[in-house]
């Protein structure tokens, strides 16, 4: 599959998804969403995704992978994935707003603004008369200052916290590939046993799918709810999977 | 002096948006009469004035008509808003059509976390936090500054307003309709308990 | 848009008297036409508006009609007296603990655009513009009158002054504002932190 048209910039997972669908001139449907799943993951990895937005991208990625799985395996259904907002409807709604935003941008740029009565001049005309407020006391003021600090603390800390979320697909692929080389076979449960967050589990699963697709590994599952065993593919190519995958 | 003229003078002096309630209080008039006078004023201005009435939520402000922008710009200091980034534009558009709304609601539509973009827009004065909360969350809405920059009388003048505002309005209405219903049921329940 | 409407919008936005010559120049119109348009405007306002045109020699200004004087006085008084809103109180507190500071700095800490609030605090004599500028922006601080009203000799007597003023959250927040500057002028970084 060729990726000839480049998407230079996207604002979030829905923006990326919409651009991919429109680039291929597809209608928004489950089928078209499934068809751009791989491109979505590729772009998500190749461009910089803000760490604090990674989780949002992963939610969409997992839905796309799910749609694709359903397409490949008729009758396959997962209750948890079926619940929650419908990505197709969400994207349709998002598309309407993107169209409206373009119109608003035109109005914004047209320069046909309205103006209030000028504030600075109103101020100059009035005389300054000292009129102290009754509700400003030392106690109230120090209380307010503490509240302001409490309010901005999480904002200042935000970037540091968010980095945790960004266990990237790169890292998981590298990690998984390394471990299979070492042990020949490991189980999926062992592979994800240190993972505490749902989005990291999704990344790990995507990494596994990527390696399967490229025939670096084989997976075997005895029945539906059993653990998956992962082993190196007997005809595994002699190259670095990362180079092929996300160059 | 008629009530609509009194309101016109009040808005002129205030030089900022005012709630209909505040106007009624200042003019010592009934809410219904104020509402009608505001509508009369808006119509009179539309017909022959260089000014117009802008309204959003339950507030109104007296501003210049957008057709006068070119000349007015030469006598006022511009607020220099500059261009909007795609993300800002997207968030503003959603808030303009669907606001006031909570942050989770905005994020649901955008599909991506939006706390920083909201903060940026609030610092630029294009979005503000409203007094009302919904489900324990603060709600956000566009400001009069944003409306002014677009030269619109009201958000209802936005392209395709009804279609895009769409079902949320209906959902809100249904929620409001359901609430008394629920309370009634609760009451009934407690009756049975007694 | 007619010339009289253009002139009305201009006078409204400018909020100061303007000469007919200046108006003609701005509207790129003949003196005769401007004179006629001003007369038309005066007549239209007389007939139905809460506003009127006032003449001073060859200057005109848009003002409220005398019949509205009472209500206009109340609007102005409301701005200048009574309790402060929560938002105003917040801005005043930040300026007390962290001033003198620029408007962008105040807005960075509050996370909200604050020009109107700053203006109101200045009208009430609680805040003043200082001589010093920072990064090309005027700085603001609370007035000596307000300090005295609180019963303090210096802002350093505010409760927990050192701890609250120098709190890392606030320092980090202000540094975010100055970040582009910081990269350009590494040397000044420590100055900005103080």
């Amino acid at each position: 599959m060729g990726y000839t048209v480049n998407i230079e910039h996207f604002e979030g997972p829905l923006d990326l998804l919409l651009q991919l669908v429109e680039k291929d001139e597809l209608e928004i449907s489950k089928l078209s969403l499934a068809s751009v799943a791989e491109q979505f993951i590729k772009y998500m990895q190749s461009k910089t995704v803000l760490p604090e937005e990674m989780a949002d991208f992963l939610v969409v990625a997992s839905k796309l992978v799910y749609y694709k799985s359903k397409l490949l395996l008729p009758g396959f259904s997962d209750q948890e994935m079926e619940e929650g907002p419908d990505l197709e409807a969400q994207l349709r709604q998002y598309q309407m707003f993107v169209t409206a935003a373009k119109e608003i941008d035109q109005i914004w740029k047209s320069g046909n603004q309205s103006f209030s009565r000028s504030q600075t001049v109103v101020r100059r005309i009035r005389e300054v008369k000292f009129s102290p407020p009754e509700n400003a006391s030392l106690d109230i003021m120090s209380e307010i200052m503490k509240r302001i600090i409490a309010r901005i603390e999480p904002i200042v800390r935000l970037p540091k916290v968010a980095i945790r979320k960004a266990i990237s697909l790169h890292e998981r692929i590298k990690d998984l590939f390394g471990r299979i080389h070492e042990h020949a076979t490991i189980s999926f449960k062992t592979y994800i046993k240190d993972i505490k967050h749902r989005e990291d589990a999704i990344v790990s699963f995507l990494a596994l799918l990527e390696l399967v697709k490229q025939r670096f590994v084989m997976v075997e599952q005895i029945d539906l709810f059993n653990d998956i065993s992962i082993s190196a593919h007997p005809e595994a190519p002699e190259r670095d999977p990362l180079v092929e995958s996300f160059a | 002096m008629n009530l609509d003229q009194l309101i016109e003078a009040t808005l002129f002096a205030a030089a900022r948006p005012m709630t209909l309630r505040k106007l009624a209080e200042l003019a010592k008039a009934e809410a219904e009469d104020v509402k009608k006078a505001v509508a009369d004023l808006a119509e009179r201005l539309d017909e022959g004035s260089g000014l117009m009435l802008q309204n959003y939520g339950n507030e109104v402000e007296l501003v210049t008509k957008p057709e006068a922008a070119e000349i007015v710009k030469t006598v006022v200091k511009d607020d220099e808003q500059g261009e909007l980034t795609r993300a800002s534009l997207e968030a503003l558009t959603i808030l303009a059509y669907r606001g006031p709304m909570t942050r989770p609601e905005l994020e649901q539509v955008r599909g991506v976390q939006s706390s920083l973009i909201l903060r940026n827009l609030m610092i630029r004065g294009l979005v503000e936090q409203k007094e009302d909360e919904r489900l324990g969350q603060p709600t956000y809405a566009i400001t009069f500054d944003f409306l002014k920059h677009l030269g619109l009388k009201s958000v209802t003048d936005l392209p395709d307003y009804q279609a895009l505002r769409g079902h949320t309005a209906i959902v809100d209405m249904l929620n409001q309709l359901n609430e008394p219903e629920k309370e009634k049921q609760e009451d009934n329940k407690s009756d049975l308990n007694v």
Side-chain angles (χ1 to χ4, degrees), chain A, chain B:
Chain A
M1 187 178 291
Y3 304 111
T4 44
V5 183
N6 271 319
I7 290 167
E8 292 297 331
H9 182 72
F10 48 85
E11 287 295 347
L14 293 183
D15 188 25
L16 173 58
L17 189 54
L18 186 62
Q19 287 192 53
L20 287 171
V21 169
E22 288 179 345
K23 176 170 75 74
D24 291 352
E25 290 171 15
L26 300 168
E27 295 288 315
I28 296 174
S29 68
K30 295 244 168 15
L31 188 70
S32 62
L33 292 185
S35 77
V36 298
E38 280 169 52
Q39 294 186 59
F40 182 91
I41 292 162
K42 182 184 149 73
Y43 270 105
M44 177 180 129
Q45 291 299 318
S46 64
K47 307 271 171 181
T48 338
V49 168
L50 293 175
E52 61 265 30
E53 290 180 356
M54 186 53 98
D56 299 317
F57 275 89
L58 291 172
V59 167
V60 171
S62 65
K63 280 224 169 110
L64 294 177
V65 169
Y66 175 67
Y67 289 159
K68 197 169 167 102
S69 317
K70 274 184 72 163
L71 214 62
L72 296 172
L73 305 165
F76 171 63
S77 179
D78 177 274
Q79 202 189 340
E80 207 175 324
M81 290 302 288
E82 291 291 334
E83 284 167 4
D86 178 55
L87 187 57
E88 189 188 339
Q90 205 185 356
L91 192 63
R92 274 216 191 88
Q93 174 181 254
Y94 180 76
Q95 188 182 36
M96 291 198 312
F97 281 113
V98 168
T99 310
K102 282 177 190 150
E103 294 192 52
I104 288 188
D105 196 30
Q106 290 306 313
I107 306 175
W108 179 273
K109 285 175 177 159
S110 75
N112 288 331
Q113 306 174 39
S114 287
F115 292 90
S116 302
R117 208 164 147 240
S118 191
Q119 297 284 3
T120 45
V121 182
V122 172
R123 184 181 70 218
R124 228 177 281 141
I125 291 167
R126 288 189 192 167
E127 263 178 47
V128 173
K129 236 183 319 170
F130 180 60
S131 57
E134 284 163 25
N135 56 343
S137 71
L138 292 176
D139 285 350
I140 290 173
M141 287 174 69
S142 66
E143 213 33 62
I144 288 176
M145 200 60 190
K146 282 173 198 157
R147 230 185 305 149
I148 291 162
I149 288 168
R151 195 174 67 205
I152 61 182
E153 263 187 321
I155 304 170
V156 178
R157 251 187 293 127
L158 186 68
K160 292 166 202 159
V161 176
I163 287 167
R164 178 199 56 72
K165 287 184 185 166
I167 298 182
S168 75
L169 195 47
H170 277 80
E171 285 168 40
R172 293 313 295 187
I173 290 179
K174 211 167 122 191
D175 178 43
L176 179 58
F177 195 58
R179 284 206 253 169
I180 290 166
H181 260 286
E182 232 171 87
H183 304 291
T185 304
I186 64 164
S187 83
F188 189 65
K189 275 187 183 149
T190 319
Y191 168 50
I192 61 168
K193 79 173 187 311
D194 296 330
I195 289 170
K196 295 185 187 71
H197 301 276
R198 192 183 153 87
E199 55 267 27
D200 294 342
I202 298 170
V203 175
S204 302
F205 190 63
L206 291 175
L208 179 60
L209 288 181
E210 185 63 33
L211 286 173
V212 171
K213 195 184 86 190
Q214 290 187 44
R215 297 178 174 239
F216 281 101
V217 300
M218 299 192 312
V219 290
E220 195 176 15
Q221 189 176 27
I222 293 162
D223 62 56
L224 198 54
F225 299 104
N226 260 343
D227 198 1
I228 306 170
S229 82
I230 308 166
S231 54
H233 199 284
E235 292 154 29
E238 281 296 317
R239 53 191 162 81
D240 185 344
L242 291 173
V243 175
E244 169 71 10
S245 200
F246 307 111
Chain B
M1 188 176 251
N2 293 338
L3 188 54
D4 66 298
Q5 295 171 313
L6 215 53
I7 287 170
E8 187 180 16
T10 308
L11 290 170
F12 176 88
R16 61 179 154 83
M18 293 190 102
T19 62
L20 294 186
R21 217 176 64 186
K22 183 76 191 166
L23 285 171
E25 187 193 313
L26 287 167
K28 299 185 185 76
E30 294 302 315
E32 269 313 300
D33 297 336
V34 169
K35 218 167 156 181
K36 190 173 173 309
V38 165
D40 289 347
L41 173 59
E43 201 187 315
R44 166 159 60 80
L45 296 176
D46 276 353
E47 275 166 15
S49 176
L51 310 178
M52 67 180 198
L53 215 52
Q54 208 163 38
N55 77 78
Y56 183 63
N58 51 0
E59 289 184 300
V60 286
E61 184 178 2
L62 196 60
V63 299
T64 60
K65 281 185 183 165
E67 295 94 316
E70 209 181 319
I71 174 166
V72 172
K73 250 179 245 175
T74 59
V75 295
V76 298
K77 244 196 356 204
D78 211 355
D79 54 353
E80 286 166 34
Q81 282 283 1
E83 293 210 346
L84 293 171
T85 63
R86 279 249 307 278
S88 298
L89 199 56
E90 189 181 296
L92 279 169
T93 303
I94 295 164
L95 286 168
Y97 282 95
R98 291 270 169 98
M101 66 206 297
T102 65
R103 180 157 66 83
E105 285 168 344
L106 174 66
E107 290 174 341
Q108 172 61 31
V109 177
R110 291 193 67 218
V112 68
Q113 73 90 29
S114 305
S115 57
L116 287 179
I117 200 83
L118 270 180
R119 198 182 127 81
N120 271 331
L121 291 171
M122 289 208 287
I123 288 178
R124 287 177 76 172
L126 299 174
V127 166
E128 66 186 350
Q129 194 178 320
K130 306 299 280 185
E131 300 268 302
D132 318 336
E133 298 204 335
R134 188 149 63 234
L135 304 168
Q137 294 265 2
T139 55
Y140 300 88
I142 55 148
T143 61
F144 273 78
D145 277 353
F146 177 65
L147 273 187
K148 261 178 265 177
H149 209 289
L150 297 181
L152 294 178
K153 267 186 283 192
S154 155
V155 283
T156 55
D157 294 339
L158 285 167
D160 292 326
Y161 180 77
Q162 290 309 332
L164 268 85
R165 173 121 191 126
H167 58 263
T168 337
I170 298 168
V171 169
D172 284 350
M173 233 171 60
L174 288 176
N175 284 343
Q176 280 169 6
L177 287 175
N178 285 339
E179 252 147 31
E181 206 61 39
K182 244 185 280 168
E183 276 163 35
K184 246 185 278 162
Q185 283 171 0
E186 292 276 320
D187 285 349
N188 289 345
K189 244 185 272 167
S190 50
D191 282 348
L192 292 174
N193 288 346
V194 174

